Amino acid sequence: MDSNKQKLIDSANKGDLESQYKLGRAYKFGEDGFGKDLLQGHKWLKQAAEANHAEAQLTYAYFFIDIGNQAHIKHDLDEGTYWLKRSGDNGNAQALWLLIGVYANFTPETSHDKVIECFKTLIANCNDYAAAVELGAIYCGSSSNKHIRRFPGLASYTDPEKGFRLMEEGIRLAESQEENPLKYEQYAMIYQAYDSDTSKTYKPDLEDTRVYKGVDRLISMAKKMCYAEKALVALQNKDFTSPFPDDVLDSLISSHRNILESARGELLGVINEGMHNRQ
């Protein structure tokens, strides 16, 4: 046997969690020179998962969820979601986003409360700006929010004031992280909701609310245009770490060109409206 493989096995047998995780993955997926063996993969990943290894818990969960191309031992949704949640509680953001996807595929009518908890955990444990944005949009009742469309029960969570605070928190978190085009895509979405769908949740007579402050509305349009433009530049220059397939990249570029053109038109409209009202 290859010496590196033997070292990994020996280390796993001695109780090293990272080695158990790597060995379990190697058997589960047939990686690193190991033949694919689901039972051996299950054995080692279970040991690491039960010892609270977050990545092992995520990988182990898919032994129980029949979704995508993941190899599984048996379909047991309760077992699978249990391990995804434990992984998320240990700070694994990917596990929680996947858990939301599992709920959408299997229990969309009854999982809205669990989805809210996933977003809260993503924010609290993972500093996930996208989760703050999405949860804020849910509270604002945005009809364009994909999660509201997937989980009908989320419509009952409307709380615009809390929603705007969460979206702004998402911006602050995003600005503290490295540059990436998806960041600016989220910004463009925020300000689109900020000025349209979410404004419907406020009463027109509340002049002190953010949506009805002319300056804030102008700023929201300018930021929407700015962020859409930055996203477009980043996408065109392929200035990001994870590569997109060509068709997805083309679609994103086209989408951001449309967002930018629309934002420019909206901004001019807001300015002209303000000038007309002053006359």
Side-chain angles (χ1 to χ4, degrees):
M1 178 180 288
D2 178 273
S3 61
N4 289 330
K5 291 168 60 176
Q6 189 61 55
K7 285 180 182 178
L8 183 60
I9 293 172
D10 291 343
S11 182
N13 278 313
K14 290 177 182 177
D16 181 72
L17 294 184
E18 186 68 15
S19 296
Q20 290 176 351
Y21 163 63
K22 290 179 178 178
L23 184 58
R25 271 195 64 93
Y27 277 124
K28 186 177 190 294
F29 298 108
E31 298 174 339
D32 301 326
F34 287 85
K36 192 170 184 179
D37 187 331
L38 292 186
L39 293 179
Q40 282 294 313
H42 180 274
K43 168 189 170 181
W44 289 110
L45 285 167
K46 181 180 181 181
Q47 286 191 40
E50 289 179 342
N52 227 27
H53 189 290
E55 291 293 331
Q57 289 166 339
L58 167 60
T59 310
Y60 184 61
Y62 274 99
F63 279 117
F64 308 102
I65 301 173
D66 183 11
I67 186 171
N69 295 318
Q70 291 281 344
H72 64 288
I73 297 289
K74 64 175 180 177
H75 185 70
D76 187 335
L77 195 61
D78 289 339
E79 185 78 2
T81 56
Y82 168 79
W83 288 108
L84 287 176
K85 187 177 185 305
R86 276 195 61 176
S87 181
D89 288 342
N90 283 324
N92 191 323
Q94 183 184 1
L96 291 167
W97 284 110
L98 288 171
L99 182 54
I100 292 171
V102 169
Y103 288 142
N105 276 279
F106 295 107
T107 55
E109 298 298 329
T110 59
S111 293
H112 42 277
D113 292 334
K114 296 175 183 177
V115 169
I116 294 293
E117 288 306 311
C118 283
F119 282 125
K120 288 180 177 179
T121 305
L122 279 162
I123 296 167
N125 291 5
C126 310
N127 285 331
D128 193 311
Y129 70 86
V133 170
E134 294 290 355
L135 185 55
I138 288 169
Y139 281 126
C140 286
S142 172
S143 62
S144 62
N145 182 267
K146 63 183 178 183
H147 296 294
I148 291 179
R149 296 198 301 269
R150 295 162 85 186
F151 302 96
L154 292 179
S156 64
Y157 278 86
T158 303
D159 186 338
E161 184 177 352
K162 182 186 292 186
F164 282 128
R165 286 202 306 269
L166 278 165
M167 286 196 280
E168 289 169 346
E169 180 181 344
I171 292 175
R172 288 194 296 272
L173 286 171
E175 287 176 340
S176 70
Q177 298 179 24
E178 65 183 54
E179 296 295 317
N180 64 80
L182 296 183
K183 174 171 115 175
Y184 295 113
E185 183 177 17
Q186 292 285 353
Y187 284 8
M189 288 170 59
I190 291 170
Y191 285 101
Q192 187 173 23
Y194 202 79
D195 190 64
S196 57
D197 289 323
T198 53
S199 66
K200 298 172 186 175
T201 62
Y202 284 87
K203 296 180 181 179
D205 58 333
L206 298 179
E207 295 181 359
D208 59 336
T209 61
R210 181 179 300 277
V211 170
Y212 291 97
K213 288 181 180 178
V215 173
D216 275 351
R217 186 163 184 246
L218 185 63
I219 290 172
S220 78
M221 290 296 95
K223 285 186 175 181
K224 178 181 172 184
M225 184 175 73
C226 172
Y227 296 140
E229 187 169 25
K230 287 184 176 182
L232 180 59
V233 170
L235 288 163
Q236 288 174 328
N237 294 339
K238 297 186 178 181
D239 184 20
F240 41 86
T241 304
S242 301
F244 292 99
D246 288 343
D247 58 335
V248 174
L249 183 61
D250 291 343
S251 175
L252 286 171
I253 289 173
S254 175
S255 172
H256 280 83
R257 280 179 178 151
N258 292 336
I259 290 174
L260 182 56
E261 183 177 345
S262 171
R264 282 176 175 154
E266 290 178 64
L267 180 61
L268 288 173
V270 171
I271 293 172
N272 290 334
E273 179 184 336
M275 292 177 66
H276 176 75
N277 290 337
R278 287 190 175 191
Q279 293 176 353

